[in-house]
Amino acid sequence: MLDPRKLHLLRELARRGTIAAVAEAVTFTPSAVSQQLSALEREAGVPLLERTGRTVTLTPAGHLLVEHAQAVLEELERASAALAVARGGPSGPLRIGAFPTAARVLLPPALAGLTGAHPALAPMVSEIDPADVSAALRAGELDVALVHEYDFVPPVTDASIETEPLFTEPMYLTSRPTVAEARADAWITGKPGTLCHTMAIRACQAAGFEPLVRHHIDDFDTVLAFAAAGQGVALVPHLAASDPPGGVRLTRLPLSRRTLAAFRRGNGEHPAIVAAVAAFRTAVSRLPL
Amino acid sequence: MLDPRKLHLLRELARRGTIAAVAEAVTFTPSAVSQQLSALEREAGVPLLERTGRTVTLTPAGHLLVEHAQAVLEELERASAALAVARGGPSGPLRIGAFPTAARVLLPPALAGLTGAHPALAPMVSEIDPADVSAALRAGELDVALVHEYDFVPPVTDASIETEPLFTEPMYLTSRPTVAEARADAWITGKPGTLCHTMAIRACQAAGFEPLVRHHIDDFDTVLAFAAAGQGVALVPHLAASDPPGGVRLTRLPLSRRTLAAFRRGNGEHPAIVAAVAAFRTAVSRLPL
DNA sequence: TTCGAGCTTAAGATGAACTTATGCTCGATC
DNA sequence: GATCGAGCATAAGTTCATCTTAAGCTCGAA
């Protein structure tokens, strides 16, 4: 019988590309991952990995098996969710990931509602950029996460991750009426690698120029403080723009940001996930949108 | 992560009813099965088995998990079948089960065709009564089996077994023109527990009487020899009735028997299964029906 | 050429899973 | 109503898979 643990490693290899990265994701040594994949290959009776020097690539058979691995792991996830239902209501630890603004604005009321309704539930929050969420979910480091998508930035499609939209908010530009007019300005964006950084670059490119990025700051309150001090222009979402510091003009742009809840496919019926998404929704409904 | 090996044991327990029977089916000791199921229960965090004295019963949660176990094991079966395809064509051992008449009439030409077309395939045949087939398939003792169904005998429905119909043949009665007229005769049926035995009993009950069973014989050639010797009446299928011994009158009845190929659900795309069913079909097409 | 990143293999340690042995519960039998 | 056997659980020990550590190999970059 094929071992789902090995199938999981194979799937991670397909996503991350190197054995070392897989090992880091599952907190094994590369040696262990290598051995497990070799064993899987032996059981499969057909080469799954192609070793060329110090790199590995999946063979067509390897890719095929990844598809099936996906289906197997999804069914196992469903089975676990069904057991959680049988255990009776949400309980135990629930690891929540959230981008910083959500952690500040959305999570406090959501968590209050969540633990109020389900005292046995122990939510644990980690700040995490949306770009890293799907890997963290797959690795089992998170159970549910708040992520966002921007226009211009294609949403990450991952067969093993499912999302539920929560709300949409408009984006604002500081100091200038349009992005095009900020062509010569210094820009304040998120740190490289974050979605916010990508979003700002793409928005400027869409307006026909490459932005001059001077500051990399993730926290929108700090961003606004910098803008108020004349240190540059920035794009901020509605939620972060409700109470701008003095001297900061905000112009609403025809650009929006969608916030979603993400979780492992097959885990959507898990009572803790259901409860968390419900709590997110009621918190959203009380947001100043 | 839930262990599919343990899920398999739970599914077998649901089918067979006792831990001892499961242990026998998988050639473990009852102790091992008991320990594995206890471990599964611990991981599930909810009681799956109810122990009352020396018997175990599945709880509702246990039954629920069996449903999911079924789905998981089916996906694993699919993955294995996909790997067999990737290995390139049918090869290796293929364990075939067949009821005696099929083993004699159908399998010799079918196996000749099969090994002719796929020399790397090593078919291994075991005679087995259709009543025992699904258990043997689930336990992995067989990969594919020839079974039959009778009118009057409801087909065994097993969520983990899939069937493909091969052909239908009429049934014949020895010595008498109708079943009702054999009310007072001595009957020759299959051994108790076999489908043929059940079928004969039910056919007589449908005609309004309980048969007087004197002989229990599975082999239809022997049955016909007994009938020729005046030892009783019997129901025989068309395939076994092509060359009746002298003195045996055969009357065709409005009663039929269906022969099917059975295999584990999810395994239907396995190249060896595909090849075997194809070989069965060509052998059937050359049968005197 | 050297360094480092990445993969593999060998060898040892750890833990899961099996067997054997034993005890318990309960229904059937004498 | 004692005994027997079927059925399950627990304890203890063994075996085997799986992990880590350690070392070696390959290849691209400095």
Side-chain angles (χ1 to χ4, degrees):
Chain A
M1 177 145 50
L2 289 169
D3 180 354
R5 288 162 28 91
K6 299 194 181 85
L7 293 177
H8 178 226
L9 294 179
L10 186 70
R11 186 183 68 171
E12 288 308 295
L13 182 64
R15 305 244 175 242
R16 301 178 191 265
T18 72
I19 289 185
V22 174
E24 207 231 321
V26 298
T27 55
F28 282 176
T29 58
S31 173
V33 176
S34 173
Q35 290 177 48
Q36 292 296 83
L37 289 176
S38 298
L40 179 62
E41 225 172 345
R42 198 178 332 118
E43 292 162 27
V46 56
L48 302 172
L49 278 60
E50 195 162 1
R51 279 94 167 166
T52 57
R54 59 177 185 178
T55 68
V56 293
T57 335
L58 285 186
T59 63
H63 281 291
L64 180 68
L65 187 54
V66 167
E67 299 294 313
H68 287 275
Q70 176 59 36
V72 169
L73 294 170
E74 194 177 318
E75 285 300 340
L76 280 172
E77 195 78 47
R78 269 189 233 291
S80 294
L83 284 177
V85 172
R87 273 194 295 271
S91 73
L94 175 69
R95 282 153 307 174
I96 302 173
F99 55 91
T101 309
R104 176 181 308 173
V105 178
L106 195 60
L107 280 186
L111 291 185
L114 193 58
T115 52
H118 310 286
L121 202 58
M124 303 162 60
V125 174
S126 303
E127 283 196 350
I128 182 173
D129 189 80
D132 304 325
V133 157
S134 49
L137 283 171
R138 280 202 319 275
E141 295 159 8
L142 294 179
D143 299 311
V144 60
L146 290 165
V147 299
H148 49 236
E149 298 173 353
Y150 290 102
D151 298 339
F152 296 126
V153 185
V156 193
T157 63
D158 187 316
S160 54
I161 303 297
E162 203 172 342
T163 59
E164 273 210 27
L166 292 177
F167 66 96
T168 301
E169 61 186 319
M171 296 294 294
Y172 293 79
L173 176 64
T174 65
S175 316
R176 303 283 177 192
T178 67
V179 172
E181 289 174 69
R183 171 188 299 268
D185 291 325
W187 277 77
I188 312 170
T189 74
K191 285 209 284 283
T194 66
L195 258 192
C196 293
H197 178 258
T198 312
M199 175 273 299
I201 304 282
R202 296 276 172 82
C204 291
Q205 289 172 339
F209 66 96
E210 285 290 330
L212 241 82
V213 179
R214 182 167 300 167
H215 305 293
H216 291 101
I217 295 169
D218 286 338
D219 184 86
F220 283 117
D221 275 2
T222 311
V223 167
L224 287 174
F226 270 55
Q231 292 303 308
V233 300
L235 290 164
V236 296
H238 180 82
L239 275 187
S242 58
D243 184 25
V248 176
R249 278 176 303 146
L250 291 173
T251 311
R252 180 166 174 165
L253 299 180
L255 190 67
S256 61
R257 165 168 114 158
R258 288 167 296 287
T259 295
L260 317 94
F263 41 86
R264 282 184 295 278
R265 190 169 294 277
N267 214 9
E269 304 300 316
H270 194 295
I273 304 288
V274 172
V277 172
F280 293 157
R281 286 201 190 287
T282 62
V284 164
S285 69
R286 288 173 193 154
L287 241 41
L289 285 176
Chain B
M1 177 146 48
L2 290 170
D3 181 355
R5 288 162 28 92
K6 299 194 181 84
L7 293 177
H8 178 227
L9 293 178
L10 185 71
R11 186 184 67 172
E12 288 307 294
L13 182 64
R15 305 248 174 236
R16 302 180 191 265
T18 73
I19 289 184
V22 174
E24 207 230 321
V26 299
T27 54
F28 283 175
T29 58
S31 173
V33 176
S34 173
Q35 289 177 48
Q36 291 297 85
L37 289 176
S38 298
L40 179 61
E41 223 171 347
R42 198 176 334 116
E43 293 162 24
V46 56
L48 303 172
L49 278 61
E50 196 161 0
R51 279 95 167 165
T52 58
R54 61 175 186 179
T55 66
V56 294
T57 335
L58 285 185
T59 63
H63 281 290
L64 179 68
L65 187 53
V66 167
E67 298 295 314
H68 286 276
Q70 176 60 36
V72 169
L73 296 170
E74 194 177 317
E75 285 299 341
L76 280 172
E77 194 79 48
R78 269 189 232 291
S80 295
L83 284 177
V85 172
R87 275 194 294 271
S91 72
L94 175 69
R95 281 153 309 173
I96 302 173
F99 55 90
T101 309
R104 177 181 308 174
V105 178
L106 196 60
L107 278 187
L111 291 185
L114 194 58
T115 52
H118 309 288
L121 203 57
M124 304 162 58
V125 174
S126 303
E127 283 196 351
I128 182 172
D129 190 79
D132 304 325
V133 156
S134 49
L137 283 172
R138 280 202 320 276
E141 296 159 8
L142 293 180
D143 299 311
V144 60
L146 290 165
V147 299
H148 49 235
E149 298 173 353
Y150 289 103
D151 298 338
F152 296 126
V153 185
V156 193
T157 63
D158 185 318
S160 55
I161 303 297
E162 203 174 340
T163 58
E164 273 209 26
L166 292 177
F167 66 96
T168 301
E169 60 187 319
M171 297 293 297
Y172 292 80
L173 177 63
T174 65
S175 315
R176 304 284 177 192
T178 67
V179 172
E181 289 174 68
R183 172 188 298 266
D185 292 326
W187 278 77
I188 313 171
T189 75
K191 286 209 283 283
T194 66
L195 258 191
C196 293
H197 177 259
T198 312
M199 174 273 298
I201 304 282
R202 296 275 171 83
C204 292
Q205 289 172 338
F209 66 97
E210 285 289 331
L212 241 82
V213 179
R214 183 166 300 168
H215 305 291
H216 292 101
I217 295 169
D218 286 338
D219 184 87
F220 283 117
D221 275 3
T222 312
V223 167
L224 287 174
F226 270 55
Q231 292 303 308
V233 300
L235 290 164
V236 297
H238 180 82
L239 274 188
S242 58
D243 184 24
V248 176
R249 278 176 304 143
L250 291 174
T251 311
R252 180 166 172 163
L253 299 179
L255 190 68
S256 60
R257 163 170 116 156
R258 286 168 296 287
T259 295
L260 317 92
F263 42 85
R264 282 185 295 280
R265 189 170 294 278
N267 214 8
E269 303 300 317
H270 194 295
I273 305 288
V274 171
V277 172
F280 293 158
R281 285 203 190 287
T282 64
V284 164
S285 69
R286 287 171 194 154
L287 241 42
L289 285 178

